[in-house]
Every structure is written in C-alpha cells, then in structure tokens.
Amino acid sequence: MATLISGAVLSGLGSTVSIRRRGSVGRIDMRVGWKNVIISPQRKKSEKVSEYVKEKGSEVGHMTAQEGQEVLDHIQRAKHYLMEKAGVAMDMVTENAHIASDFVAEKAKVVEEEAVSITEKAKDFIVEKTGEAKDFIVEKAGEAKELATDMSKKTAIYVGEKAAEAKEAILPPETEE
C-alpha cells in the first residue's frame, strides 16, 4: 500500500519516495531504490496535528451531542404536539358523540310523539268504525227484525188462507136452510 508522508525528515533521499507498510501497526519500512531509510516525524508539527485533531474531534463530538439534543428536543416537541392534537381530537369526538346522542334522543322523542299520534288516530278510527259498524249492525238487525215480522205475518196469512182452503175442501159445503 502506497502512502504519502508530509512533514517528515527523510535523510539521504531524492525527491521521489515510495513507502510500503509491512508488518504490525506502528512499524513502517521504507524502500527507495535499494537503500533502507528511517522516517522520524517532526514533533512540533505532529503535536499541532494532534491538537487540531483533538479540537476537531471535540467540535464534532460537541456538534453531534448538540445535534442529538436538538433531535431529542424536536422529538419531545413532536410528542407534545401529537398529545395536544390527540387531546383536541378526543374532545372533538366527545363533543360529536354528545351532538349525535342529542340528535338521536330528539329523533326518538319525535318518533315517539308520532307513534302516540298515530296510535290515537288509529284508536279514534277504530272507535269511529266500531260505532259505524254498531250502527250498521243495529240498522241491519232492525231491518232483519222487520223482515222477520213481515215474513211471519205473511206466513201466518198464507198458512191461514191455506188452512181455510183445506178446511173447505175437507168439510162439506154448508147448506142454507
């Protein structure tokens, strides 16, 4: 693996360097042509780089923590918003349930009043028709009685006439003496 190293003192080399890393971490072997070279980093630049990395790492950590807190705050606001909206929705459901209940009660009352009215009308109709039927029956019964009386009279007259005829037929005629 080729690596570029800046700020290092390379002794005894030209301008082109090829570095290969072999073995365990922290050990670097370098080969330029056929010569082996030792790399020694410059301490001041290394310390500055280390401080810069720490500072940037701290900033990134701080930014990450701050962003995490912002996300947490946003989640909390969303949670409170949803709970508030759920409460409003429940209030609306309760209000609409009361409205529906009142509407159903009012309609039930109207239907009950209509049923009572229809029942009263039916009762009056039945009483009226029963009265008419009674009058009709009484009238027809009177007519039937008159017919029966008339028929009885006619039957008596007819029977009387036939009895007289039969009597005359059976008895000899009366002579006048």
Side-chain angles (χ1 to χ4, degrees):
M1 166 198 261
T3 305
L4 177 63
I5 297 178
S6 65
V9 176
L10 302 175
S11 45
L13 297 177
S15 61
T16 305
V17 177
S18 174
I19 301 173
R20 281 190 278 169
R21 196 168 163 201
R22 290 189 300 172
S24 64
V25 177
R27 181 174 174 187
I28 300 175
D29 292 334
M30 183 169 51
R31 206 171 227 300
V32 179
W34 292 100
K35 284 185 166 181
N36 287 333
V37 180
I38 301 172
I39 300 174
S40 62
Q42 292 178 352
R43 289 191 186 265
K44 285 185 181 180
K45 281 190 175 182
S46 174
E47 287 174 6
K48 285 182 182 180
V49 168
S50 176
E51 286 177 25
Y52 178 78
V53 168
K54 283 181 186 177
E55 182 180 315
K56 289 300 175 184
S58 176
E59 285 179 21
V60 168
H62 179 68
M63 294 283 284
T64 304
Q66 184 179 5
E67 288 173 357
Q69 185 62 42
E70 287 176 5
V71 168
L72 184 62
D73 291 344
H74 183 70
I75 290 171
Q76 289 295 330
R77 285 191 307 270
K79 180 178 148 187
H80 290 298
Y81 175 79
L82 290 175
M83 289 173 61
E84 180 181 318
K85 291 301 177 185
V88 169
M90 289 303 294
D91 291 344
M92 289 174 67
V93 166
T94 303
E95 182 180 339
N96 289 334
H98 286 298
I99 291 170
S101 176
D102 293 344
F103 177 78
V104 169
E106 182 65 30
K107 288 300 177 185
K109 186 176 179 182
V110 168
V111 168
E112 181 181 7
E113 289 171 359
E114 288 176 1
V116 168
S117 174
I118 290 170
T119 303
E120 288 295 323
K121 286 178 183 176
K123 182 179 172 185
D124 293 343
F125 178 78
I126 290 170
V127 168
E128 179 184 333
K129 292 302 176 183
T130 302
E132 288 176 10
K134 179 183 171 191
D135 293 344
F136 178 77
I137 290 170
V138 168
E139 181 184 330
K140 293 302 175 183
E143 288 177 10
K145 183 178 178 185
E146 288 176 15
L147 285 172
T149 305
D150 187 43
M151 190 65 96
S152 176
K153 288 179 185 177
K154 286 182 181 179
T155 304
I157 293 172
Y158 177 76
V159 169
E161 288 175 0
K162 292 297 176 183
E165 286 177 13
K167 183 177 172 186
E168 282 179 21
I170 297 178
L171 292 177
E174 281 186 24
T175 55
E176 278 191 31
E177 287 181 46

